Amino acid sequence: MRVGKLLGGLGAATLLVLAALLLFLALFDWNQARPLLNAQVSAALNRPFAIDGDLRVVWQREPGASGWHAWLPWPHFSATGLRLGNPPWAKEATFVSLERVQLRLEPLPLLWKTLSIPRIDLVAPVAHLQRLADGRSNWQFDQGDPADPQAPSAWTLDIGTIGFDRGQVSLDDQLLRTQLQLQITPLGQPIAFSDIVGKGQPAAAVGAQDYAFAWQAKGRYRGQTLDGQGKVGGLLALQDARLPFPLQADIRAGSTRIVLAGTLTEPQHLGALDLRLQLSGSSLGHLYALTGVTLPETPAYATDGRLSARLRDSGGARFRYQDFNGRIGDSDIHGDLTFVAGLPRPKLSGQLTSNQLLFADLAPLIGADSNAEKKQRGAAASQPAGKLLPVEAFRTERWRAMDADVRFTGKRIVHSNKLPISDLDTHVLLDDGRLSLEPLRFGVAGGELDATIHLDGAQTPLQGRARLSARRLKLKQLFPGFAPMQTSLGELNGDAELAGRGNSVASQLGAADGSVKLLVNDGAISRGLLEIAGLNLGNYLVGKLFGDEEVQINCAAADLGLKRGLMSTRLFVVDTENAIIKVDGTANFASERLDLTVTPASKGMRIFSLRSPLYVRGTFKQPDAGVQAVPLALRGAGLLALGVAVAPAAGLVALIAPSSGGQDGSQCAPLLRQMQGKG
């Protein structure tokens, strides 16, 4: 009995103590604890903290709790006039201020040093975010052991959802060169998620809350002017993916416009994004400043697709722009791209297709667009008036920012008759600043132009290598507007191999070494043909050589050597029905100047009117041609008199084999055999 009475007394005493404690907590004026609380929080955060208004705690049971601890009351806190200060180096005295905060705290996790807050509501938050160029930011706190500032805090903060009201946020980030002012205001009347995103929303958006707030942002992002607006939900679930947070935005940054609508889930754990994304702007190259993704310079573009993201992938955050459609210039574009923010560099991969590609839209890739087009897309570089070769520098500093593995197919290329390119296929590889186009394949005039191009942007200056092969280009398709060529069976075959140094097309060719070999058989030529091709200089030369008549070409053979940008004619012969014409001289790609002599020799006793050699001088852009004062001494002497070299002729024999008729069916075979002394 004594033991039972003792235990009963102890139980009653315990209940009385608990009841007294609960009564004390319920009746205690928590405002008296504010000075101590302010001091303790300030010391813990190493920042000035103050609750200037009323502080209340109400104890009540949690309706959603289950089990025995459903009977345990939870403290519900309410405080007004909160201020959290900045570190001494910040320019603003206050980091965050709030008109009111309401939260409830789960008591049991306190036993294992966890502050578990299922929900916190912020009323009228005002935040000033700042990061210096040295990386210090005011949103990082000095917590943990004062003797060891690097040691993590023994306490864990676990917040479920955040509800918020109207607010203001300013950001000054010197690392990102970003200064923004953001305002959030209630919509007044919530807008259903499907009303903005549409009925065909992805499965990940099921259960998304309504849009509750409007936001507006102004300022500069990564140095570019930014102006944006949009809508968001009113409850941010930091961990629960079952409550997607709705986002909607219409942002203009520089010349780029970004329109998106969709959801964000688990932002605290970097969960996932699922958005409909529309991008447009004056050049894809401008996205580098905004996103760090290296893309080429292009004409104006617009795309529309679905952006999904898995932000917690082990290999790095993964973004996928799926099934997008759009245009670049006047060309359509479709594809699927994936961007992985991994190490050692992020990587872009995927496939792009254009059903109808305008060849002119490819010009900005090498800086070959006009100055007016450069200005339209915001390029700083301009092409000098007297230069033909593109001088715009490759942006090699961007090539090392990421890697790439992208396949591009242009199913149909639209161009004038001057260059009948039908299709394009290329594989773009970018690896630590080394860019490769392998293969780069064009369908041209019923044949193929194959190339492999390697540009090593990891070296200064850029080192480039290119190998090109033209096979079975049909002359009648090269010049469809020239009637005499339509009965021709002739073809063009050629090879080129070049290597140079420099950060533009002009500088690469101006320092290049290599060779160009070309063979054309069974064609026709006239001034009218060259007018069709727009070759005014050739028009002049043909007029001087043959007058206005059409002339049958049996074969045109060229073997050109390139040394440090100076191209020399090792062999350049045109065999026509009237004469054999030899071209000697140089073309200087560094200075873009020509110095060529055109020497004809008539065949047999046929009358050939030209009595003096021709010259071609001047620049690539403004060539000058005329008749030399020296009389033409060689008449009827043929190839020997023209001094044709034997070795270059032998090197061109391999280009006959690809022709449909082989050596026996080629007009060039007899000419090359004669040059080698075999005919």
Side-chain angles (χ1 to χ4, degrees):
M1 288 292 295
R2 293 181 179 178
V3 174
K5 288 182 178 181
L6 179 61
L7 292 176
L10 288 174
T14 302
L15 290 175
L16 286 173
V17 171
L18 288 175
L21 178 62
L22 291 175
L23 184 63
F24 170 77
L25 293 174
L27 298 178
F28 178 71
D29 183 6
W30 288 89
N31 287 307
Q32 296 183 26
R34 282 186 303 164
L36 177 61
L37 182 62
N38 290 344
Q40 291 294 324
V41 174
S42 297
L45 298 181
N46 199 23
R47 301 271 187 94
F49 173 81
I51 300 175
D52 296 326
D54 189 36
L55 174 62
R56 295 187 180 184
V57 180
V58 176
W59 293 78
Q60 61 187 47
R61 288 184 295 176
E62 181 68 16
S66 60
W68 66 269
H69 58 278
W71 296 93
L72 186 66
W74 289 24
H76 290 240
F77 293 86
S78 174
T80 59
L82 284 83
R83 291 182 294 107
L84 177 60
N86 264 321
W89 52 261
K91 64 180 181 181
E92 297 284 348
T94 302
F95 172 46
V96 174
S97 64
L98 298 156
E99 284 188 8
R100 186 171 70 253
V101 172
Q102 293 178 304
L103 62 91
R104 62 187 191 274
L105 182 67
E106 190 174 356
L108 283 181
L110 294 173
L111 298 176
W112 47 86
K113 294 187 176 182
T114 297
L115 294 173
S116 179
I117 303 173
R119 173 167 174 161
I120 181 170
D121 289 285
L122 312 177
V123 178
V126 177
H128 302 282
L129 308 180
Q130 185 180 4
R131 180 162 62 175
L132 301 182
D134 60 12
R136 286 181 293 169
S137 63
N138 65 347
W139 57 83
Q140 292 177 322
F141 292 87
D142 297 328
Q143 293 176 270
D145 185 355
D148 183 8
Q150 300 300 321
S153 173
W155 286 84
T156 301
L157 179 62
D158 182 10
I159 300 177
T161 57
I162 298 177
F164 52 89
D165 194 6
R166 68 188 185 278
Q168 298 179 27
V169 178
S170 66
L171 171 64
D172 183 2
D173 190 333
Q174 296 180 18
L175 273 182
L176 292 179
R177 297 183 297 120
T178 297
Q179 298 82 35
L180 292 176
Q181 296 290 332
L182 176 69
Q183 290 190 342
I184 302 174
T185 55
L187 285 173
Q189 185 71 27
I191 300 175
F193 180 78
S194 60
D195 288 348
I196 291 180
V197 178
K199 301 297 183 183
Q201 53 190 275
V206 174
Q209 59 187 289
D210 294 340
Y211 291 95
F213 290 89
W215 63 268
Q216 188 171 21
K218 288 184 177 295
R220 300 186 71 83
Y221 178 71
R222 293 183 181 266
Q224 299 194 44
T225 302
L226 183 142
D227 190 351
Q229 58 185 359
K231 302 174 184 64
V232 294
L235 190 64
L236 184 62
L238 298 185
Q239 301 177 11
D240 191 355
R242 295 171 299 176
L243 190 61
F245 183 70
L247 301 170
Q248 189 263 332
D250 188 344
I251 302 169
R252 293 182 182 272
S255 64
T256 302
R257 185 181 182 188
I258 304 168
V259 179
L260 59 86
T263 61
L264 165 68
T265 56
E266 296 186 80
Q268 182 181 6
H269 296 94
L270 296 178
L273 283 169
D274 197 338
L275 307 167
R276 179 185 174 185
L277 174 64
Q278 296 171 288
L279 285 172
S280 58
S282 59
S283 172
L284 282 171
H286 294 174
L287 289 175
Y288 178 80
L290 299 175
T291 66
V293 178
T294 303
L295 293 171
E297 295 295 337
T298 67
Y301 70 95
T303 67
D304 185 351
R306 178 186 174 190
L307 177 68
S308 59
R310 298 200 305 270
L311 303 174
R312 298 184 64 193
D313 264 20
S314 57
R318 179 180 295 268
F319 300 84
R320 186 178 178 190
Y321 196 27
Q322 299 171 255
D323 301 324
F324 65 85
N325 300 293
R327 61 170 182 82
I328 298 177
D330 292 318
S331 305
D332 66 286
I333 189 74
H334 318 273
D336 194 331
L337 293 173
T338 299
F339 182 77
V340 179
L343 296 174
R345 291 168 300 280
K347 184 172 183 178
L348 179 72
S349 58
Q351 292 188 338
L352 298 173
T353 301
S354 177
N355 294 318
Q356 182 165 290
L357 173 66
L358 266 69
F359 195 78
D361 293 333
L362 298 174
L365 299 181
I366 57 171
D369 50 342
S370 67
N371 283 341
E373 291 167 326
K374 285 183 172 66
K375 184 177 181 180
Q376 187 176 14
R377 62 180 168 89
S382 61
Q383 185 73 10
K387 296 282 286 184
L388 179 67
L389 300 176
V391 301
E392 187 169 348
F394 297 113
R395 306 296 294 270
T396 55
E397 75 280 2
R398 299 182 177 183
W399 295 4
R400 304 192 73 173
M402 69 170 222
D403 294 340
D405 184 347
V406 178
R407 189 87 188 203
F408 176 73
T409 302
K411 293 184 177 180
R412 177 174 177 267
I413 295 182
V414 179
H415 199 280
S416 69
N417 290 336
K418 297 177 184 178
L419 191 57
I421 296 177
S422 57
D423 57 88
L424 165 64
D425 180 31
T426 189
H427 188 191
V428 181
L429 293 170
L430 184 60
D431 182 18
D432 196 17
R434 297 172 180 87
L435 176 65
S436 298
L437 301 177
E438 188 175 1
L440 173 59
R441 181 175 296 118
F442 291 92
V444 183
E448 279 194 349
L449 178 61
D450 286 329
T452 58
I453 297 176
H454 300 277
L455 301 174
D456 189 351
Q459 300 194 42
T460 303
L462 174 83
Q463 290 193 359
R465 293 181 291 111
R467 182 173 294 175
L468 300 92
S469 173
R471 291 295 182 267
R472 300 184 181 89
L473 276 59
K474 305 297 188 294
L475 297 181
K476 61 182 177 182
Q477 294 185 36
L478 277 173
F479 304 103
F482 185 50
M485 200 76 80
Q486 299 313 296
T487 60
S488 169
L489 299 177
E491 293 181 345
L492 181 151
N493 293 285
D495 288 321
E497 193 166 342
L498 304 172
R501 296 170 63 91
N503 289 335
S504 68
V505 173
S507 58
Q508 280 275 327
L509 290 175
D513 297 327
S515 64
V516 178
K517 298 178 181 181
L518 194 68
L519 212 60
V520 178
N521 74 89
D522 188 17
I525 193 168
S526 75
R527 296 178 68 176
L529 170 63
L530 296 173
E531 287 174 0
I532 292 173
L535 302 175
N536 295 326
L537 175 63
N539 188 349
Y540 170 85
L541 294 174
V542 169
K544 286 293 183 182
L545 289 169
F546 307 112
D548 293 326
E549 65 182 34
E550 295 163 0
V551 178
Q552 185 71 27
I553 294 180
N554 300 322
C555 177
D559 185 344
L560 311 174
L562 193 61
K563 187 69 172 178
R564 295 180 183 175
L566 184 66
M567 179 174 281
S568 304
T569 57
R570 295 189 290 226
L571 169 66
F572 196 153
V573 173
V574 181
D575 179 16
T576 74
E577 59 182 347
N578 294 329
I580 293 178
I581 302 163
K582 182 169 179 279
V583 180
D584 291 296
T586 60
N588 192 322
F589 284 84
S591 61
E592 295 195 10
R593 298 199 64 85
L594 296 165
D595 186 5
L596 300 171
T597 300
V598 181
T599 308
S602 63
K603 288 187 175 181
M605 299 303 295
R606 298 190 62 172
I607 299 175
F608 195 77
S609 60
L610 188 65
R611 298 183 180 278
S612 297
L614 301 176
Y615 66 81
V616 179
R617 301 192 184 106
T619 65
F620 289 2
K621 196 160 188 179
Q622 290 185 321
D624 176 42
V627 180
Q628 290 191 13
V630 179
L632 184 61
L634 303 172
R635 301 207 37 98
L639 292 171
L640 293 178
L642 290 175
V644 172
V646 174
L652 293 171
V653 173
L655 295 179
I656 301 176
S659 301
S660 58
Q663 291 201 29
D664 294 335
S666 170
Q667 295 277 6
C668 283
L671 177 67
L672 295 180
R673 282 198 297 267
Q674 186 179 357
M675 291 182 193
Q676 298 175 77
K678 298 178 181 179

